[in-house]
Amino acid sequence: MSSDRSAMIILANQRGSSARTAGDTATDDDGHAMHALASRLYPICRSLTGAGVRETLALLSEQVPLDVHEVPTGTQVFDWEIPREWRIRDAYVQDATGRRVIDFGQSNLHVVNYSRPVRARLRWRELDEHLHSLADAPDRVPYRTSYYNDTWGFCLAHRQRLALAAQGDEDEYEVVIDADLVAGSLSYGEVFLPGESNDEVLYSCHVCHPSLANDNLSGMVVATWLARWLMDRPRRLSHRFLFVPATIGALTWLCRNQSRLGQVKHGLVLTLLGAGERLTYKRSRRGDAEIDTAVSHVLRQGGRPHRLLDFEPFGYDERQYCSPGVNLPVGCLMRHLPGEYPEYHTSADDLQLIRPEILADSLAACRSIVEVLEANRNYVSLCPCGEPQLGRRGLYRAIGGESGRADLERAVLWLLNLADGRHSLLDVAERAQLRFDLLARAAELLLERQLIRRQEDGLLRPSSHC
Amino acid sequence: MSSDRSAMIILANQRGSSARTAGDTATDDDGHAMHALASRLYPICRSLTGAGVRETLALLSEQVPLDVHEVPTGTQVFDWEIPREWRIRDAYVQDATGRRVIDFGQSNLHVVNYSRPVRARLRWRELDEHLHSLADAPDRVPYRTSYYNDTWGFCLAHRQRLALAAQGDEDEYEVVIDADLVAGSLSYGEVFLPGESNDEVLYSCHVCHPSLANDNLSGMVVATWLARWLMDRPRRLSHRFLFVPATIGALTWLCRNQSRLGQVKHGLVLTLLGAGERLTYKRSRRGDAEIDTAVSHVLRQGGRPHRLLDFEPFGYDERQYCSPGVNLPVGCLMRHLPGEYPEYHTSADDLQLIRPEILADSLAACRSIVEVLEANRNYVSLCPCGEPQLGRRGLYRAIGGESGRADLERAVLWLLNLADGRHSLLDVAERAQLRFDLLARAAELLLERQLIRRQEDGLLRPSSHC
Amino acid sequence: MSSDRSAMIILANQRGSSARTAGDTATDDDGHAMHALASRLYPICRSLTGAGVRETLALLSEQVPLDVHEVPTGTQVFDWEIPREWRIRDAYVQDATGRRVIDFGQSNLHVVNYSRPVRARLRWRELDEHLHSLADAPDRVPYRTSYYNDTWGFCLAHRQRLALAAQGDEDEYEVVIDADLVAGSLSYGEVFLPGESNDEVLYSCHVCHPSLANDNLSGMVVATWLARWLMDRPRRLSHRFLFVPATIGALTWLCRNQSRLGQVKHGLVLTLLGAGERLTYKRSRRGDAEIDTAVSHVLRQGGRPHRLLDFEPFGYDERQYCSPGVNLPVGCLMRHLPGEYPEYHTSADDLQLIRPEILADSLAACRSIVEVLEANRNYVSLCPCGEPQLGRRGLYRAIGGESGRADLERAVLWLLNLADGRHSLLDVAERAQLRFDLLARAAELLLERQLIRRQEDGLLRPSSHC
């Protein structure tokens, strides 16, 4: 009883406030550790396939028990085929004086990702057809790919391109992309944390972008730290983390795990989590899945600035998880939308753009969402006709008429009222407009006193319905 | 035809206005008579059990055919047990000079209701631990109970408490609560007015508060006058009025009438109906029951200021009627919410607070709700393919093209259009945004002309569906 | 591929704009031709039955393949009976000097339509009881009917009536209505344009008003021109145009075609389409029928000012098509509502009131609605697990990362995502907030590439669901 009372006192002042749960906080240490890992991952030249992804997965496996899968080039994956591996060693454009005016060694963004090998001497106007730059952001190097088109190119700052163009077309440039496109395999990583139940939560982030920090290192490090946190916790649900090359990696996992898809009860694509004040959640294609309600509840009750958006078939790998023949309940947690922030897909999406405290806030929100999914169950009242007498069980204020009703008491009454097996704890929290953790605490108290049972536990003692 | 015409003229100017039905008015006489009854009930010291409730029920039975039920102490009622009877004779605090500084004889609010007996001499600081007062309303005596806690106490004005405290702790006080808590019975009253149908409307008000006028005398007198009005009317539905001690009384009735609960088609808890400008309706747990629509229709169409609130498991006995194993379609009609008006649960909730004209307005609203419930049925068109020819039946304006279409004609056309057996008269009124009584009149006219039938009457003659 | 590209370029700038489809335009020629036809129809004295309707149908049959049906007087039609034919030859009021002060020869509005024959000499006050005029529009002659009342009357400008009244009651007037009410038949016209499917669209307009232009010539000419346009097009659906006397004509068609009603999948009553800036759509009784969505989509996406109204059982023949035993998905497309414009049912509803460009705009909207109904189907993805690889099929931008995503590409992705057989093209357009014609174009592209199939075509090749 005294412990209940103290719980009531602790919680009494929190209604309407934006207090967060224990899980919904992440320390500065977490933020800095995630940023440090991002810093180690940043220089690696990732692509759809090849050494960059493997090196990336190796670094992640220092933090979490990561299984690496290799799928050979040419394997059919639904409508697609596993592409060749891109092995790049060097790439540059050298002017007549022997100076490297564009150099892969300085930034892996300088080469159009997945370019075919080239060795040629070209005049400026010939070379210029293969250059990409941003006229309206003249100091940034754009990020370009050519995954399913057989071509090559270089990316550079527009200011530099104009300077080179001013030199005229007299000289020839030596153009070298020292790369191979060869049969090999596609690599992806998977962390599986089993729980009491086979029902699982799927987390997915892409690992195929080279030196870009927010898109995609932020998703990778938040997913990794979320997995680390879950490793140490008792788990009702199983949790599966996928570290996959965009599109083809998600398709590959789906194709190889078709018999398992029924177990995926909730899912989140994690991306763009290192910059931007507010969190953004894009709902699953279903729109009213439990994950959709859970995330909106956490964002709203946590008092965070946030946005909720309906599904649309553009964006990240939710496109694949929400394709019509798959239709998993997978949403996408971001801060910005792709293309919404000016540094998107340019050299300015770097380690300065992503901030430790923002990464920590994203991690905290993820933890809070997981707490809801883990604790969300349906309960059945064992005393459904009229209210049970809470007073003699220490669940009700002692002197009738005193003002001030603790929110935990409200949560207890709401849960009892809706414990008909048709309402989950999250449903109750939403209808009562109370925080989920209060309902979870109420459920604990009522379970201890045998006033409710978990629906899946079946009937412990006959409940006397009228 | 001439009678229809005159009906059209009478009703023609009422659309959009807030005209009320015949039942939705109550005379000043009603208001004063209800207030007079409240004045007789006011001095009685009611509690959960005991003589106060019995005396109260005896006074009510002068007005309506009331059956009084007695349920012995110790009887199990779902999760609860009928408590002992509280028999109080006298209670006071007397100072060293022999003066009664707190005296139950002056107001029954001075004793914490259901206090255990006490006879003691106490110093001020010992006594003070058992006193209750309101620092922010220093002239009012609070109302306190201790039903399920074995304790005792006195209530007094905070100003008086401060004055006593100023006298210091030198003197001793003689403290007497001359009461018994003994085996006896719980009493409740029931008025049953049978109708053509076994389907019934349940009205419930609590009868356990001592000298408090709005909470709970107002509910008792409005319920009594509503029953008196219904006694003289033909009734399609049966109507049952419960006068019960809060919580335990409602639970007791539910427990003893479990086999009858399926007949309860609508219900209202009536309380706090004597003060406050606007009516407040708290929906049933179901939220979309017929009673919920009926009350909102009456409040809106009657042009009254009002509030509609969703169910929550706090408040009055709707908590019990809407518990998950019972889940009756019972809402709560009030004016203020409990705790919302400053006089709530204090000595200022007295006979000056409740006003005859407010009681009369509450009664009028209740009558109007009953009129809707009584007349609400589903109809089936006997001429469903195309419109019937209204002109030759005197239901349509004679010269085509004349402006001014009577609302009754609109009601006739709407009812014919929606007389498919799936729409109740109230559904039609809501969709057509017309007053219910217009639809009820339209139904009478169409029944007379055999253009519709009551759905429950089955098929009188084959209706020619296309 | 190049054709796709050009399609993308053409369509790229249209998102959010109010661009209209090819069908959703009508030339000035159309407007003037419709107005010219209205001018020929204007002088005819139409009524529920008789020569006026027959002459009208004869003129329409010069434009479209019209079947004329004759149904004998006395035939039972649901609750009604086909009335006698009204054959009017002449009608006038002649003063003592032999001057015709009211003359049917000048305007057929001067006689109350369907008046019984009269030959009498009357004093002013006797005559005045049979006169109709408009005090608040003193220069206009009102339109009045007396279809189901055995009476007679004349209509005139209020100013003239006052002038006549000023002459006093000395003189007698010779009053003549040279007409017969005799057994004959009711006439209505029907244009049936068969399509690939038996599913049909019903269009209905009334043809019983005499010299009134907006009410009802505008509906007749727009319906006729819509039928002309449809005659030259391939048609998936069948289309049926009804030209019927109001109420009794619609009832007659319904009664004679009961076995066919199941084939009517969509319908529109067309009326009041020649004046007024904005289009008005009154939904079917169902409220959420495909026609309701199609019209609201066209009006919204076409960028037109417009109004959407819920069904109510007043207005035109939608009353009959939406009676409860019929309940067809028939809405009503208008500009004004009846009675909403000051010229309604007066001599001012003339050929100056209706304008060629307004008729053309109404026709354009109708065409656009038909285009939606014709192209609206459900599709099933043949590549439902993950997205198909659009790049190698020329459906995706070549270089990843380039900005600017064509709306056609968006339409392609949305359609693939919702091609689960449960979403029609219109559903996809509404959810994606894209124009229907973009979705229709996307469907063509995806059909060509065998990425989707029409749901009704069954399984062409096994679709590999996960």
Side-chain angles (χ1 to χ4, degrees):
Chain A
M1 164 71 191
S2 62
S3 67
D4 301 352
R5 287 247 122 197
S6 68
M8 280 192 218
I9 291 160
I10 291 166
L11 293 163
N13 291 322
Q14 301 189 345
R15 195 187 173 213
S17 78
S18 58
R20 296 177 185 175
T21 64
D24 194 356
T25 53
T27 65
D28 285 354
D29 287 352
D30 289 321
H32 286 290
M34 286 188 280
H35 198 277
L37 178 59
S39 301
R40 293 175 65 197
L41 294 165
Y42 183 73
I44 300 170
C45 182
R46 279 165 291 273
S47 183
L48 279 196
T49 50
V53 172
R54 281 186 203 104
E55 192 177 342
T56 297
L57 298 176
L59 280 176
L60 297 181
S61 68
E62 296 173 8
Q63 307 292 337
V64 285
L66 192 86
D67 290 327
V68 176
H69 302 267
E70 300 284 348
V71 184
T73 295
T75 305
Q76 190 71 20
V77 173
F78 297 128
D79 190 53
W80 303 61
E81 202 173 275
I82 301 292
R84 291 172 295 174
E85 266 188 46
W86 187 54
R87 298 180 181 164
I88 185 158
R89 290 168 292 272
D90 196 6
Y92 56 87
V93 174
Q94 193 167 292
D95 67 12
T97 70
R99 189 174 59 97
R100 288 193 172 189
V101 295
I102 308 175
D103 187 358
F104 172 74
Q106 291 193 342
S107 164
N108 54 42
L109 295 180
H110 278 310
V111 178
V112 169
N113 201 297
Y114 218 73
S115 280
R116 71 162 185 250
V118 170
R119 259 176 216 283
R121 296 189 65 83
L122 299 176
R123 293 192 174 273
W124 170 253
R125 68 181 151 69
E126 295 165 324
L127 171 60
D128 192 52
E129 288 174 7
H130 290 269
L131 299 185
H132 301 272
S133 65
L134 299 166
D136 53 359
D139 292 317
R140 294 176 182 165
V141 180
Y143 162 57
R144 291 288 179 269
T145 63
S146 178
Y147 288 138
Y148 301 100
N149 251 32
D150 182 22
T151 183
W152 62 269
F154 282 87
C155 301
L156 73 168
H158 198 65
R159 204 177 298 282
Q160 186 191 4
R161 187 180 190 173
L162 294 177
L164 291 171
Q167 296 175 16
D169 200 23
E170 298 310 299
D171 296 338
E172 283 197 333
Y173 291 91
E174 186 185 348
V175 178
V176 172
I177 297 181
D178 178 15
D180 295 324
L181 282 163
V182 294
S185 61
L186 174 136
S187 320
Y188 69 87
E190 191 168 10
V191 175
F192 182 67
L193 304 174
E196 294 166 26
S197 162
N198 286 329
D199 291 349
E200 66 182 57
V201 191
L202 185 76
Y203 311 87
S204 178
C205 55
H206 59 289
V207 296
C208 55
H209 287 29
S211 295
L212 296 168
N214 197 30
D215 181 12
N216 55 193
L217 298 181
S218 68
M220 290 157 63
V221 298
V222 168
T224 302
W225 250 249
L226 182 63
R228 281 169 52 110
W229 177 72
L230 270 163
M231 286 162 58
D232 299 331
R233 281 173 56 97
R235 294 178 297 270
R236 177 171 73 99
L237 302 167
S238 299
H239 296 261
R240 185 181 304 273
F241 292 78
L242 302 181
F243 297 87
V244 290
T247 306
I248 186 69
L251 290 166
T252 301
W253 186 85
L254 283 170
C255 194
R256 290 159 60 103
N257 291 277
Q258 297 182 47
S259 64
R260 185 176 288 154
L261 298 184
Q263 294 171 16
V264 177
K265 303 300 184 191
H266 326 282
L268 282 176
V269 169
L270 298 173
T271 182
L272 299 181
L273 289 168
E277 286 310 303
R278 67 179 170 182
L279 278 159
T280 295
Y281 178 67
K282 176 180 163 181
R283 294 185 184 90
S284 75
R285 181 178 183 269
R286 301 181 185 186
D288 61 353
E290 189 176 330
I291 184 70
D292 300 318
T293 311
V295 177
S296 77
H297 184 87
V298 163
L299 295 183
R300 199 172 55 247
Q301 296 286 339
R304 288 183 171 83
H306 65 276
R307 263 187 305 187
L308 299 173
L309 303 174
D310 281 333
F311 175 78
E312 55 175 23
F314 326 113
Y316 290 99
D317 283 334
E318 68 276 11
R319 295 165 67 150
Q320 312 311 326
Y321 301 121
C322 295
S323 55
V326 175
N327 200 24
L328 293 178
V330 173
C332 181
L333 191 68
M334 309 166 267
R335 302 190 81 98
H336 290 298
L337 293 174
E340 195 182 35
Y341 61 107
E343 300 87 354
Y344 175 74
H345 277 199
T346 75
S347 54
D349 185 349
D350 61 13
L351 292 166
Q352 277 67 51
L353 181 68
I354 62 171
R355 301 216 315 265
E357 68 274 19
I358 299 290
L359 291 167
D361 183 67
S362 299
L363 176 62
C366 290
R367 287 184 186 172
S368 210
I369 294 162
V370 168
E371 285 178 326
V372 169
L373 297 175
E374 280 280 332
N376 194 29
R377 296 164 181 264
N378 288 25
Y379 291 92
V380 178
S381 176
L382 295 167
C383 186
C385 295
E387 291 177 351
Q389 196 178 358
L390 298 177
R392 65 173 153 92
R393 294 180 174 91
L395 291 173
Y396 209 70
R397 62 191 187 283
I399 296 284
E402 280 184 3
S403 65
R405 183 193 300 270
D407 269 4
L408 183 57
E409 195 179 300
R410 296 179 74 89
V412 163
L413 290 172
W414 268 113
L415 178 52
L416 282 169
N417 190 266
L418 296 177
D420 53 13
R422 293 190 302 273
H423 295 86
S424 75
L425 222 47
L426 186 56
D427 295 333
V428 182
E430 290 278 298
R431 178 155 170 186
Q433 295 184 274
L434 290 170
R435 286 174 33 216
F436 182 86
D437 61 307
L438 277 174
L439 270 306
R441 176 76 184 120
E444 283 171 28
L445 294 173
L446 293 173
L447 272 175
E448 280 172 25
R449 284 155 181 83
Q450 296 191 303
L451 285 172
I452 59 173
R453 64 170 173 84
R454 294 188 188 102
Q455 189 176 37
E456 70 266 33
D457 289 343
L459 217 49
L460 299 180
R461 63 177 170 91
S463 88
S464 56
H465 269 267
C466 302
Chain B
M1 165 72 192
S2 62
S3 68
D4 300 354
R5 287 249 122 197
S6 67
M8 281 193 217
I9 291 160
I10 291 166
L11 294 163
N13 290 320
Q14 301 188 344
R15 195 186 172 213
S17 78
S18 58
R20 296 177 185 174
T21 65
D24 194 355
T25 53
T27 65
D28 284 354
D29 286 353
D30 289 321
H32 287 290
M34 285 188 281
H35 197 276
L37 178 59
S39 301
R40 293 175 66 198
L41 293 165
Y42 183 73
I44 301 170
C45 183
R46 280 165 291 272
S47 183
L48 279 197
T49 50
V53 172
R54 281 186 203 104
E55 192 177 340
T56 297
L57 297 176
L59 280 176
L60 296 180
S61 69
E62 296 173 8
Q63 307 292 336
V64 286
L66 191 87
D67 290 328
V68 176
H69 302 266
E70 300 284 347
V71 185
T73 296
T75 305
Q76 189 72 22
V77 173
F78 298 128
D79 189 53
W80 304 61
E81 201 174 275
I82 301 292
R84 291 172 294 173
E85 267 188 44
W86 187 54
R87 296 180 183 165
I88 184 158
R89 288 169 293 272
D90 196 6
Y92 57 86
V93 174
Q94 193 167 291
D95 67 12
T97 70
R99 189 173 61 95
R100 288 193 171 191
V101 295
I102 308 176
D103 186 358
F104 172 73
Q106 291 193 343
S107 164
N108 54 44
L109 295 181
H110 278 311
V111 178
V112 169
N113 202 296
Y114 219 75
S115 280
R116 70 162 186 249
V118 170
R119 258 176 218 281
R121 296 189 67 83
L122 300 176
R123 290 191 177 275
W124 169 253
R125 67 179 152 70
E126 295 166 325
L127 171 61
D128 192 53
E129 289 175 6
H130 289 270
L131 299 186
H132 302 272
S133 64
L134 300 165
D136 54 358
D139 293 317
R140 294 176 182 165
V141 180
Y143 162 57
R144 291 288 180 271
T145 62
S146 179
Y147 288 138
Y148 301 99
N149 251 33
D150 182 22
T151 183
W152 63 270
F154 282 89
C155 301
L156 73 169
H158 197 66
R159 203 177 299 281
Q160 186 192 3
R161 186 181 191 173
L162 294 177
L164 291 171
Q167 296 174 13
D169 200 23
E170 299 310 300
D171 297 337
E172 284 198 330
Y173 291 90
E174 184 185 349
V175 178
V176 172
I177 296 181
D178 178 15
D180 296 324
L181 282 164
V182 294
S185 61
L186 173 137
S187 319
Y188 69 87
E190 191 167 10
V191 175
F192 182 66
L193 305 175
E196 294 166 26
S197 161
N198 286 330
D199 290 349
E200 66 182 57
V201 191
L202 185 77
Y203 312 87
S204 179
C205 55
H206 60 289
V207 296
C208 55
H209 287 27
S211 293
L212 296 169
N214 197 29
D215 181 11
N216 54 192
L217 298 181
S218 68
M220 289 157 63
V221 298
V222 168
T224 301
W225 250 249
L226 183 61
R228 281 168 53 110
W229 177 72
L230 270 164
M231 285 161 58
D232 300 331
R233 280 173 58 96
R235 295 179 296 271
R236 178 171 72 101
L237 301 168
S238 299
H239 296 261
R240 185 181 304 274
F241 293 79
L242 302 181
F243 298 88
V244 290
T247 307
I248 186 69
L251 290 166
T252 301
W253 185 86
L254 284 170
C255 194
R256 291 158 59 103
N257 291 277
Q258 296 182 48
S259 65
R260 185 176 287 152
L261 298 184
Q263 294 171 16
V264 177
K265 301 303 182 188
H266 326 282
L268 283 177
V269 169
L270 297 173
T271 182
L272 300 181
L273 289 169
E277 286 310 302
R278 66 177 171 182
L279 278 158
T280 295
Y281 179 67
K282 176 180 162 180
R283 293 186 185 91
S284 75
R285 181 179 183 268
R286 301 182 185 184
D288 61 353
E290 189 175 330
I291 184 70
D292 300 319
T293 311
V295 177
S296 77
H297 183 87
V298 164
L299 296 183
R300 198 171 56 245
Q301 296 286 340
R304 288 184 171 81
H306 65 275
R307 264 188 304 189
L308 299 173
L309 304 174
D310 281 332
F311 175 79
E312 56 174 21
F314 326 114
Y316 291 100
D317 283 333
E318 69 275 11
R319 294 166 67 150
Q320 312 310 326
Y321 301 121
C322 295
S323 55
V326 175
N327 200 23
L328 292 177
V330 173
C332 181
L333 190 68
M334 309 166 269
R335 303 189 81 99
H336 291 299
L337 293 174
E340 195 181 36
Y341 61 106
E343 301 86 354
Y344 175 75
H345 276 199
T346 75
S347 53
D349 186 349
D350 61 13
L351 291 167
Q352 277 67 52
L353 181 68
I354 61 171
R355 302 215 316 266
E357 67 274 19
I358 298 291
L359 292 167
D361 182 67
S362 298
L363 175 62
C366 289
R367 287 184 185 172
S368 211
I369 294 162
V370 169
E371 285 178 327
V372 170
L373 297 175
E374 281 280 332
N376 194 29
R377 295 163 182 264
N378 288 25
Y379 291 93
V380 178
S381 175
L382 295 168
C383 186
C385 295
E387 293 178 349
Q389 197 179 357
L390 298 177
R392 66 174 152 92
R393 294 178 176 92
L395 291 172
Y396 208 71
R397 62 191 187 282
I399 296 285
E402 280 185 3
S403 64
R405 184 193 300 271
D407 268 4
L408 182 57
E409 194 179 301
R410 297 179 74 89
V412 162
L413 289 171
W414 267 113
L415 178 53
L416 282 169
N417 189 266
L418 295 177
D420 53 13
R422 293 190 303 274
H423 295 85
S424 75
L425 222 48
L426 186 57
D427 295 334
V428 181
E430 290 278 298
R431 179 155 170 187
Q433 295 186 274
L434 289 170
R435 286 173 34 214
F436 182 85
D437 60 308
L438 277 174
L439 269 307
R441 177 77 185 118
E444 283 171 28
L445 293 173
L446 294 172
L447 273 175
E448 280 171 26
R449 285 155 181 82
Q450 297 192 301
L451 285 171
I452 59 174
R453 64 172 173 85
R454 295 188 187 103
Q455 190 176 35
E456 69 266 31
D457 289 343
L459 217 48
L460 298 180
R461 63 177 170 90
S463 88
S464 56
H465 269 267
C466 302
Chain C
M1 164 73 191
S2 62
S3 68
D4 299 354
R5 286 248 123 197
S6 67
M8 281 195 218
I9 291 160
I10 291 167
L11 293 162
N13 290 321
Q14 301 188 345
R15 195 188 170 213
S17 78
S18 58
R20 297 178 184 174
T21 64
D24 194 358
T25 53
T27 65
D28 285 354
D29 288 351
D30 289 320
H32 286 289
M34 286 188 280
H35 198 277
L37 178 59
S39 301
R40 293 175 65 198
L41 294 165
Y42 183 73
I44 301 171
C45 183
R46 279 165 291 273
S47 182
L48 279 196
T49 50
V53 173
R54 282 187 203 104
E55 192 178 341
T56 298
L57 298 177
L59 280 177
L60 297 181
S61 69
E62 297 173 7
Q63 307 291 336
V64 285
L66 191 86
D67 290 327
V68 176
H69 302 266
E70 299 285 347
V71 185
T73 296
T75 305
Q76 191 71 21
V77 173
F78 296 129
D79 190 53
W80 303 61
E81 201 174 275
I82 301 292
R84 290 173 294 174
E85 266 188 45
W86 187 54
R87 296 181 181 164
I88 185 159
R89 289 169 292 272
D90 195 6
Y92 57 87
V93 174
Q94 192 168 294
D95 68 13
T97 70
R99 190 174 58 97
R100 289 193 170 190
V101 295
I102 308 175
D103 186 359
F104 173 73
Q106 291 194 343
S107 164
N108 55 42
L109 296 181
H110 277 312
V111 178
V112 170
N113 202 297
Y114 218 74
S115 281
R116 72 163 185 247
V118 171
R119 255 173 222 284
R121 297 189 65 82
L122 299 176
R123 292 192 174 274
W124 170 253
R125 68 182 151 68
E126 295 166 323
L127 171 62
D128 192 53
E129 288 175 8
H130 290 270
L131 299 185
H132 302 272
S133 64
L134 301 165
D136 53 359
D139 294 317
R140 295 176 183 166
V141 180
Y143 162 58
R144 291 288 179 270
T145 62
S146 178
Y147 288 138
Y148 300 100
N149 251 33
D150 182 21
T151 183
W152 63 269
F154 283 88
C155 300
L156 73 169
H158 198 65
R159 204 177 298 282
Q160 185 191 4
R161 186 181 191 172
L162 294 176
L164 291 171
Q167 297 173 14
D169 200 23
E170 299 311 298
D171 298 338
E172 284 198 330
Y173 291 90
E174 185 185 348
V175 178
V176 173
I177 298 180
D178 178 16
D180 296 324
L181 283 163
V182 295
S185 61
L186 174 137
S187 320
Y188 69 86
E190 191 168 10
V191 175
F192 182 66
L193 304 175
E196 294 166 27
S197 161
N198 286 330
D199 290 349
E200 66 182 56
V201 191
L202 185 77
Y203 311 87
S204 179
C205 55
H206 59 290
V207 296
C208 55
H209 287 28
S211 294
L212 296 169
N214 197 30
D215 181 11
N216 54 195
L217 298 181
S218 67
M220 289 157 62
V221 299
V222 168
T224 301
W225 250 250
L226 183 62
R228 281 169 52 110
W229 177 73
L230 270 163
M231 285 162 59
D232 299 331
R233 280 173 56 97
R235 294 178 298 271
R236 178 170 72 101
L237 302 168
S238 299
H239 296 261
R240 185 181 305 272
F241 292 79
L242 302 181
F243 297 88
V244 291
T247 307
I248 186 70
L251 290 167
T252 301
W253 186 86
L254 284 170
C255 193
R256 290 159 59 104
N257 291 276
Q258 297 183 47
S259 64
R260 185 176 287 153
L261 298 184
Q263 295 170 17
V264 178
K265 302 302 184 189
H266 326 282
L268 282 177
V269 169
L270 297 174
T271 183
L272 300 181
L273 290 168
E277 286 310 303
R278 67 179 169 180
L279 278 159
T280 295
Y281 178 67
K282 176 179 162 182
R283 293 185 185 91
S284 75
R285 180 179 184 268
R286 301 181 185 185
D288 61 353
E290 189 176 330
I291 184 69
D292 300 319
T293 311
V295 178
S296 77
H297 183 87
V298 164
L299 296 183
R300 199 171 55 246
Q301 296 286 340
R304 288 184 172 82
H306 65 276
R307 265 187 305 187
L308 299 173
L309 303 174
D310 281 333
F311 175 78
E312 56 174 21
F314 325 113
Y316 290 100
D317 283 333
E318 67 276 11
R319 296 165 66 150
Q320 312 310 326
Y321 301 121
C322 294
S323 55
V326 175
N327 200 22
L328 292 177
V330 173
C332 181
L333 190 68
M334 307 166 271
R335 301 189 82 99
H336 290 299
L337 293 174
E340 195 180 35
Y341 61 106
E343 300 86 354
Y344 175 74
H345 277 198
T346 75
S347 54
D349 185 350
D350 62 12
L351 292 166
Q352 276 67 53
L353 181 68
I354 62 171
R355 300 215 318 264
E357 67 275 19
I358 299 291
L359 291 167
D361 182 67
S362 298
L363 176 62
C366 289
R367 287 184 186 171
S368 211
I369 293 162
V370 168
E371 285 178 327
V372 170
L373 297 175
E374 280 282 332
N376 194 29
R377 295 163 181 264
N378 289 25
Y379 291 93
V380 178
S381 176
L382 295 167
C383 186
C385 295
E387 292 176 351
Q389 195 177 358
L390 298 177
R392 66 173 152 91
R393 294 179 175 92
L395 290 173
Y396 209 71
R397 61 191 187 283
I399 296 284
E402 280 185 2
S403 65
R405 184 193 300 272
D407 268 4
L408 183 57
E409 194 178 301
R410 297 179 76 89
V412 162
L413 290 171
W414 268 111
L415 179 52
L416 282 169
N417 189 266
L418 295 176
D420 53 12
R422 292 190 303 274
H423 294 86
S424 74
L425 222 48
L426 185 57
D427 294 334
V428 182
E430 290 277 298
R431 179 156 170 186
Q433 295 186 272
L434 290 170
R435 285 173 34 214
F436 182 86
D437 61 307
L438 276 174
L439 269 307
R441 176 77 185 119
E444 283 171 27
L445 293 174
L446 293 172
L447 272 175
E448 280 171 25
R449 283 153 182 84
Q450 297 191 303
L451 286 171
I452 60 174
R453 63 170 174 84
R454 295 189 188 102
Q455 190 177 36
E456 69 266 32
D457 289 343
L459 218 48
L460 299 180
R461 63 177 171 90
S463 88
S464 56
H465 269 267
C466 302

